[in-house]
Amino acid sequence: MKIADVASQAFSMPLTSPAYPKGPYHFVNREFLVIAYRTDPEALRAVVPEPLEVVDPIVKFEFIRMPDSTGFGDYTESGQVIPVRYKGKPGAYVHAMYLNDESPIAGGREIWGFPKKLADPALRVEKDTLLGTLDVGSVRVATGSMGYKHETLDVAAVKASLEAPNYLLKIIPDVDCSPRICELVCYHMTNVVVKGAWSGPAGLQLAAHALAPVAGLPVLEVISATHILSDLTLGLGTVVHDYLRPAK
């Protein structure tokens, strides 16, 4: 293979069999269980990078089923998202994500900088309860539950929340393990169609784990729970801050 061929064909690793195809990435019947809870404000400020600002000591723990996604297939993920402000505008910082499919782990980390790690999340209905779980190996690190479709929510408001800006800290090391890329990335969900949205009573339990430290943002009070069924497209990102090239 010629040098020019490498440059022209390079997209993702491995060169001759990339771990995922090029986007856009569209999701059909993407289902969310989002449980908002109050946490320790000092613990929250310790993990949110500047120039993002913490608004309130709130975390959203998400369990997400994705049965039909272009390029990534059928998988489930779970993690923590933190409401923030950037330059005075509201958004959300994606703090941690755990999922069970190699392709979106590789694509999410390499393209956008999603903080994805391999685990075993699940989201299912058990009789009158929507149940989300997150296992790392044999250890249960998160359990979220919600009464199934107790109250219908305003679809327009839920759509607006899904379309708000989201922020990621993209880190890619150089061959000497120094940072080659260290950027704050912004992305949006597009083509959002909310097929239904509901609320209900909720509970959330987090357990300590050395390599999945979700309990580092402890649950002090469960505030709300939202169940969403939607179609959407995961938009590609833009770099809004480069930590290796300070602003002049």
Side-chain angles (χ1 to χ4, degrees):
M1 184 179 289
K2 304 294 186 182
I3 289 177
D5 295 333
V6 174
S8 64
Q9 295 180 30
F11 162 63
S12 173
M13 297 184 291
L15 173 64
T16 57
S17 179
Y20 50 89
K22 291 183 178 180
Y25 306 95
H26 187 67
F27 297 78
V28 177
N29 291 331
R30 180 167 169 147
E31 186 174 20
F32 300 77
L33 168 58
V34 182
I35 300 175
Y37 69 93
R38 194 175 309 280
T39 193
D40 179 354
E42 293 303 318
L44 200 59
R45 282 191 282 268
V47 299
V48 174
E50 292 182 336
L52 301 177
E53 299 176 77
V54 173
V55 181
D56 292 306
I58 304 299
V59 181
K60 294 183 178 181
F61 205 100
E62 300 185 345
F63 302 89
I64 310 173
R65 275 286 300 126
M66 286 157 281
D68 183 350
S69 57
T70 49
F72 297 146
D74 179 351
Y75 66 103
T76 305
E77 70 182 23
S78 182
Q80 291 163 306
V81 177
I82 301 168
V84 294
R85 278 194 301 259
Y86 177 68
K87 294 186 176 181
K89 296 182 179 180
Y93 172 63
V94 183
H95 170 59
M97 303 186 83
Y98 303 91
L99 57 157
N100 57 1
D101 184 1
E102 177 199 4
S103 180
I105 290 176
R109 290 172 67 104
E110 292 177 10
I111 299 173
W112 297 270
F114 279 103
K116 294 176 182 276
K117 298 180 76 172
L118 180 65
D120 189 17
L123 179 61
R124 61 188 180 274
V125 179
E126 289 194 354
K127 297 181 172 61
D128 58 355
T129 304
L130 183 62
L131 180 66
T133 58
L134 173 60
D135 295 343
V136 179
S138 61
V139 179
R140 175 66 49 87
V141 298
T143 303
S145 57
M146 173 183 162
Y148 190 71
K149 296 184 178 180
H150 280 215
E151 183 178 350
T152 301
L153 297 176
D154 178 43
V155 167
V158 172
K159 181 176 184 291
S161 70
L162 291 175
E163 293 173 333
N166 296 274
Y167 298 95
L168 302 160
L169 185 57
K170 181 175 182 177
I171 302 171
I172 295 181
D174 210 334
V175 292
D176 62 357
C177 286
S178 64
R180 178 74 173 265
I181 293 173
C182 188
E183 301 168 336
L184 187 66
V185 173
C186 179
Y187 75 95
H188 293 79
M189 304 291 193
T190 63
N191 304 317
V192 176
V193 177
V194 177
K195 297 178 173 180
W198 305 269
S199 65
L204 179 65
Q205 293 178 310
L206 305 180
H209 190 288
L211 301 183
V214 294
L217 297 175
V219 180
L220 303 183
E221 178 191 9
V222 172
I223 298 171
S224 65
T226 307
H227 176 199
I228 305 166
L229 184 64
S230 66
D231 297 345
L232 55 84
T233 300
L234 177 57
L236 299 177
T238 56
V239 176
V240 297
H241 185 84
D242 189 335
Y243 293 88
L244 303 181
R245 294 175 176 82
K248 296 181 180 178

